[in-house]
Amino acid sequence: MSEKSLPPTPADSFAPEVYWVDGPEVLPYEKSGQNVTLEVVSPNGLERAYEGLEHQQSGQTKPSDLEPAGQTEQSKSAVNKRSKLWIVGVLAVVVLAISLGVGLGVGLKKDPKKLTPSIETDTRSPTWTPFNSTAPLAKSTVKPSDWRSRSVYQIITDRFGPSDQSTPPCDTAARQYCGGTWTGIMNRLDYIQNMGFTAIWISPVTAQLVENTTYGEAYHGYWQQNIWSLNTNFGSDDDLKALSTALHSRNMYLMVDIVVNHFGWAGNSSSVNYSTFIPFNQESDFHPYCAITADDYLSNQTAVEDMTSRRAFGVCNNVRRTLIRRSIVSLVDVNTTKPEVIATYNDWIKSLVSTFGIDGLRIDTAKHVDKNFLLGFKSDAGIYSVGEVLNGDVAYACPYQKQLDGILNYPLYYPLTRAFQNSNGSISDLASELKSINSTCTDPTLLGTFSENHDNPRFPSLTSDMNLDMNVISFTILADGIPIIYQGQEQHFSGGNDPFNREALWTSAYSTKSQLYTFVASVNQIRNQEIFKTPSYVTSRSSIVYSDDHNIAMRKGNILSVFTNHGSNGTDSGNITLSSTGLGASTQVVEILTCNNFTTSATQALNVSTGEGRPQ
């Protein structure tokens, strides 16, 4: 994730010019009474700090949004209980992932009018050409609704695998390119598909700034400078097309991360050379610099989307523009309300999607983009579009489904990871948030459900308890929505904040025998099997069957899941009774991961031993 201009700290009497960069070095705040103290300049953390301010102002403080600075010490006192997964009438786990198929349609003829940006009212003379490929792949016929059946593996392209399958050194702290490519991904699709994944999400593909800055290189893909060319560090146009073709031959989908909010510049705002950017090479294509303040995050959504709105009120001044705090990367904010920009972006996304056979989009920093633009952009893309709306408030995040098909489910992410960090986690907060999402979001089954990503600390950095990690992973896969597992999650990588959570996967030797690799494969297989048997599973809504201080049981379709935060090191507290399973009286059920048989009582109740805290 890359963010907008960094707001001033509350202690500043005037704000030096500072910018968001791609990810924080440390979480920059801590909770102090009813206030948030900003300690270190850092992007993602400050955004979450302001979300925390929102909750405090409304009397709904969410501790998960106010994480302590630095990496959380690993928990050593998690208690011992079992999370079990049940399914009616299934006696064996199907090993093969269910492939539902991708219809690619027929090849499209090249239409120069479609491929060249149309800027009817602009007098500039474009010098760019649309990619280097003259033979676009067929336009995807995958509908947004088709994504419900998918399980997504998120990839940091630079950190997945080199083309030659070598294992070069990769220092995450250096923020440098490490050598991952699209060919490297294609060469190891078996590794992904054998875990039961049916789609991948890859990093942004566009050409980036080339400088090595204070914040490293643009290996992550969020500092683009030319949307009509690809990032040659990842490969050629033909390499990306080959990856797309290889995925589709396996009935897998391709999701590409894209950035429409900003372009990257290695320097401060006064030094931006707009002619460097393609195709938006005029200063009028961008908003002038104006920092977003804490008050804006609390009450001024227009300023969050469009920084020029605050300039009209005299908020920005020369003092802010002339003081420089450090060597920086400016993320120059594109004016997505300008008709010429809108037309160009819409032509570009249609060309990108058809040229490379893309099936879905993840839109970076969506909450900073004009909402009206998002609606038209999604329509022209013609494929599933999920937005990054980094906010834990359902009332703020869910309405984005009016513009986009789905959002990354941050409202669930915070209480989910908080609930399972240790035995003191709040299961009641998790249960409450599930109900809020179900009642507020237009369609929770189109949201992206996740528990780790490249912008947030990995779950094992919060606790080393393997069983708690299994609870979080199984919840992610079996809850409502489209499950997303982040590269390295299956290898129990434990990097904290960015950049340490962007480890090179080859350091794991791509082990297919590791405990979490096989576990992820098993849970994905359970979901895929149920979708194959009962297609309506993907549109069904989860219902909470049972919850207490440490356990929560949910039913979705024929799958009954029981999760616990007691962990592996505590004392077994005995059984829990699920009295509202809806399974019927005297019904035989099977605990999938062990194939043990159980039978409901005459009153349809099911007794569950919480055991060792490890999903089975």
Side-chain angles (χ1 to χ4, degrees):
M1 165 182 170
S2 304
E3 288 298 347
K4 289 198 171 193
S5 303
L6 182 68
T9 65
D12 289 343
S13 56
F14 55 87
E17 181 175 282
V18 187
Y19 296 80
W20 295 105
V21 296
D22 183 72
E25 293 178 334
V26 296
L27 288 174
Y29 53 86
E30 61 183 14
K31 188 177 178 184
S32 176
Q34 293 300 310
N35 299 314
V36 172
T37 302
L38 305 181
E39 297 178 317
V40 180
V41 173
S42 173
N44 292 352
L46 277 172
E47 180 166 346
R48 291 194 292 272
Y50 295 138
E51 293 168 17
L53 280 171
E54 290 177 340
H55 293 302
Q56 289 180 26
Q57 192 173 67
S58 64
Q60 297 178 349
T61 303
K62 292 194 174 182
S64 62
D65 295 342
L66 303 175
E67 305 169 42
Q71 181 171 316
T72 303
E73 184 172 340
Q74 295 179 339
S75 169
K76 296 181 180 179
S77 62
V79 188
N80 191 5
K81 273 207 174 181
R82 178 174 312 179
S83 170
K84 296 187 177 180
L85 311 172
W86 308 82
I87 186 169
V88 177
V90 177
L91 298 178
V93 177
V94 176
V95 176
L96 296 177
I98 304 304
S99 299
L100 299 182
V102 181
L104 292 179
V106 295
L108 299 180
K109 295 181 179 179
K110 180 181 177 184
D111 183 348
K113 294 182 180 179
K114 296 285 186 182
L115 292 174
T116 303
S118 59
I119 306 178
E120 299 177 355
T121 60
D122 204 337
T123 58
R124 78 187 80 182
S125 299
T127 58
W128 62 89
T129 57
F131 312 117
N132 295 317
S133 183
T134 58
L137 298 178
K139 172 75 166 61
S140 173
T141 59
V142 174
K143 302 183 295 295
S145 58
D146 295 333
W147 276 88
R148 292 191 181 102
S149 65
R150 299 285 122 173
S151 183
V152 182
Y153 186 74
Q154 182 197 348
I155 292 172
I156 300 293
T157 300
D158 181 65
R159 304 298 167 83
F160 183 83
S163 298
D164 61 2
Q165 301 190 37
S166 60
T167 57
C170 184
D171 179 6
T172 56
R175 295 184 168 103
Q176 305 290 311
Y177 282 102
C178 288
T181 65
W182 297 315
T183 299
I185 297 171
M186 185 174 65
N187 288 341
R188 294 192 182 274
L189 287 180
D190 283 349
Y191 173 87
I192 299 170
Q193 192 174 35
N194 288 344
M195 274 188 286
F197 290 106
T198 50
I200 65 171
W201 150 17
I202 63 174
S203 304
V205 300
T206 51
Q208 305 287 302
L209 63 80
V210 297
E211 292 84 355
N212 184 11
T213 73
T214 300
Y215 292 103
E217 297 174 329
Y219 71 91
H220 40 71
Y222 298 107
W223 298 343
Q224 67 188 10
Q225 290 195 337
N226 182 354
I227 64 174
W228 284 107
S229 291
L230 299 186
N231 187 342
T232 55
N233 289 283
F234 299 156
S236 67
D237 292 42
D238 287 339
D239 291 338
L240 181 55
K241 290 168 63 180
L243 173 60
S244 177
T245 300
L247 286 163
H248 294 149
S249 71
R250 295 167 177 256
N251 293 321
M252 297 174 71
Y253 292 177
L254 173 63
M255 176 182 288
V256 172
D257 206 333
I258 62 166
V259 182
V260 294
N261 177 67
H262 57 263
F263 277 49
W265 173 253
N268 61 65
S269 65
S270 62
S271 70
V272 175
N273 179 1
Y274 294 94
S275 66
T276 303
F277 301 147
I278 297 175
F280 308 122
N281 53 19
Q282 298 184 4
E283 186 172 0
S284 61
D285 293 332
F286 300 86
H287 293 134
Y289 168 71
C290 182
I292 303 173
T293 69
D295 288 341
D296 291 332
Y297 276 99
L298 294 175
S299 60
N300 190 350
Q301 175 62 24
T302 302
V304 172
E305 295 175 10
D306 178 359
M307 291 187 290
T308 59
S309 64
R310 292 178 57 252
R311 185 173 293 277
F313 296 95
V315 176
C316 291
N317 53 56
N318 289 333
V319 173
R320 277 205 181 112
R321 292 179 60 83
T322 56
L323 295 179
I324 308 301
R325 183 173 300 203
R326 63 171 78 179
S327 298
I328 55 174
V329 174
S330 300
L331 301 183
V332 191
D333 193 77
V334 181
N335 183 359
T336 52
T337 64
K338 185 178 179 181
E340 295 85 359
V341 169
I342 295 171
T344 299
Y345 258 148
N346 289 349
D347 283 342
W348 167 74
I349 196 58
K350 287 185 285 189
S351 177
L352 182 75
V353 166
S354 62
T355 298
F356 300 106
I358 298 168
D359 305 297
L361 302 173
R362 182 264 189 185
I363 302 177
D364 182 65
T365 53
K367 80 174 187 181
H368 293 295
V369 180
D370 179 70
K371 289 182 178 178
N372 291 327
F373 169 85
L374 289 174
L375 185 62
F377 184 79
K378 183 204 74 170
S379 177
D380 276 0
I383 55 177
Y384 175 72
S385 299
V386 59
E388 180 203 27
V389 180
L390 206 166
N391 193 300
D393 184 354
V394 293
Y396 181 96
C398 286
Y400 274 86
Q401 280 198 289
K402 296 177 182 177
Q403 286 79 36
L404 301 170
D405 299 303
I407 58 171
L408 298 180
N409 198 343
Y410 271 100
L412 178 61
Y413 163 79
Y414 289 119
L416 172 60
T417 54
R418 184 169 68 241
F420 291 104
Q421 284 182 32
N422 53 57
S423 60
N424 295 321
S426 177
I427 296 294
S428 63
D429 281 357
L430 175 60
S432 176
E433 195 73 1
L434 286 168
K435 294 175 182 176
S436 294
I437 293 168
N438 198 43
S439 63
T440 306
C441 288
T442 303
D443 188 351
T445 67
L446 283 172
L447 305 183
T449 307
F450 68 99
S451 46
E452 289 186 19
N453 65 25
H454 61 302
D455 288 325
N456 301 100
R458 289 190 182 273
F459 187 75
S461 74
L462 308 176
T463 174
S464 61
D465 191 305
M466 181 70 78
N467 290 352
L468 291 175
D469 202 0
M470 288 182 173
N471 277 276
V472 164
I473 288 174
S474 54
F475 192 104
T476 301
I477 295 174
L478 296 175
D480 290 341
I482 302 163
I484 302 171
I485 297 296
Y486 175 42
Q487 160 190 317
Q489 197 167 356
E490 75 281 6
Q491 300 295 348
H492 206 234
F493 281 2
S494 58
N497 295 302
D498 166 23
F500 305 106
N501 59 355
R502 301 178 178 186
E503 308 96 323
L505 187 61
W506 53 84
T507 61
S508 72
Y510 305 95
S511 172
T512 58
K513 304 297 184 182
S514 67
Q515 190 171 11
L516 287 182
Y517 181 95
T518 57
F519 177 75
V520 169
S522 295
V523 182
N524 259 334
Q525 289 156 10
I526 292 168
R527 182 177 185 269
N528 290 335
Q529 168 73 355
E530 178 64 8
I531 291 170
F532 177 72
K533 289 176 55 185
T534 313
S536 61
Y537 172 86
V538 298
T539 54
S540 65
R541 302 283 186 93
S542 295
S543 59
I544 298 174
V545 174
Y546 175 92
S547 67
D548 59 28
D549 290 342
H550 301 289
N551 308 289
I552 183 169
M554 300 192 307
R555 180 171 177 183
K556 181 177 174 68
N558 288 324
I559 298 178
L560 178 64
S561 310
V562 182
F563 308 97
T564 181
N565 68 9
H566 273 294
S568 59
N569 298 320
T571 301
D572 182 9
S573 62
N575 296 343
I576 58 175
T577 299
L578 311 180
S579 58
S580 303
T581 62
L583 298 176
S586 303
T587 300
Q588 186 182 56
V589 297
V590 177
E591 186 185 15
I592 298 266
L593 298 178
T594 63
C595 290
N596 291 328
N597 296 321
F598 296 82
T599 304
T600 60
S601 69
T603 60
Q604 304 185 37
L606 185 67
N607 291 324
V608 180
S609 173
T610 52
E612 299 175 352
R614 177 180 174 181
Q616 297 184 24

